[in-house]
Amino acid sequence: MTRQFTTHSEDETRAVARALATELTAGAVLLLSGDLGAGKTAFVRGLAEGLGVDPGDVTSPTFTLVHEYRGGRLPLVHVDLYRLDRADLDDIGLDTELAEQGVTAVEWAERLSRPVRGALKIAIADAGGDRRVIEVTDH
Ligand code: ADP
Ligand code: MG
């Protein structure tokens, strides 16, 4: 099933993610795709808010690949594959125990060489100006 949302500001994108966060359970994986500036990191900030993690801590983990945020309803694992051409989630040093207990959000998921079973797909497209079309697809 695919749900589609159109947002007109970063705040609205965060609100979509905040609402989605309430549906998530331990082990959830979200695969975010979309160009630079589409709003993937903004979406992850909304997830953090919805999970009760301080969103101010959430930055583009461009140089670190993986950030872990604890203290919310579920821990949040934030992965950014921007610097990699191709990647496999099994090879990037994820704390698998934490990932199983929490929510994993992957930016630039189009760079994954293998699909992730059971993952939610979040595709964000720039529709001009501040408009973004967000498609949330579950299996
Ligand atoms: P990405 O992680 O996909 O590269 P970011 O979330 O870092 O993108 O940046 C998105 C940029 O677009 C921010 O500067 C944000 O303020 C701006 N923006 C404008 N409109 C929106 C919107 N509707 N949703 C999300 N971000 C938006
Ligand atoms: Mg980003």
Side-chain angles (χ1 to χ4, degrees):
M1 182 183 78
T2 298
R3 284 174 282 174
Q4 193 182 81
F5 306 87
T6 299
T7 66
H8 305 85
S9 67
E10 180 172 343
D11 278 355
E12 283 185 28
T13 291
R14 284 166 71 148
V16 169
R18 222 162 36 229
L20 182 68
T22 66
E23 300 174 14
L24 300 174
T25 54
V29 177
L30 288 81
L31 302 179
L32 291 114
S33 61
D35 291 340
L36 197 65
K40 300 179 293 298
T41 301
F43 194 95
V44 176
R45 282 202 193 98
L47 287 177
E49 288 171 343
L51 293 172
V53 175
D54 182 357
D57 292 345
V58 179
T59 50
S60 269
T62 303
F63 294 100
T64 48
L65 206 58
V66 183
H67 277 187
E68 296 170 356
Y69 305 99
R70 297 161 207 262
R73 180 175 70 81
L74 298 167
L76 174 64
V77 180
H78 182 194
V79 180
D80 193 323
L81 303 177
Y82 179 63
R83 303 224 147 232
L84 304 180
D85 291 329
R86 266 181 123 36
D88 193 311
L89 275 195
D90 292 337
D91 296 336
I92 60 168
L94 272 188
D95 178 341
T96 49
E97 210 167 301
L98 188 70
E100 277 164 20
Q101 290 162 6
V103 171
T104 304
V106 182
E107 294 194 45
W108 294 100
E110 45 286 66
R111 303 200 172 166
L112 288 173
S113 46
R114 285 195 295 161
V116 179
R117 250 204 295 165
L120 273 175
K121 291 188 178 137
I122 316 289
I124 309 180
D126 188 331
D130 289 344
R131 251 158 63 101
R132 303 289 189 275
V133 176
I134 304 171
E135 285 190 345
V136 179
T137 304
D138 52 31
H139 29 109

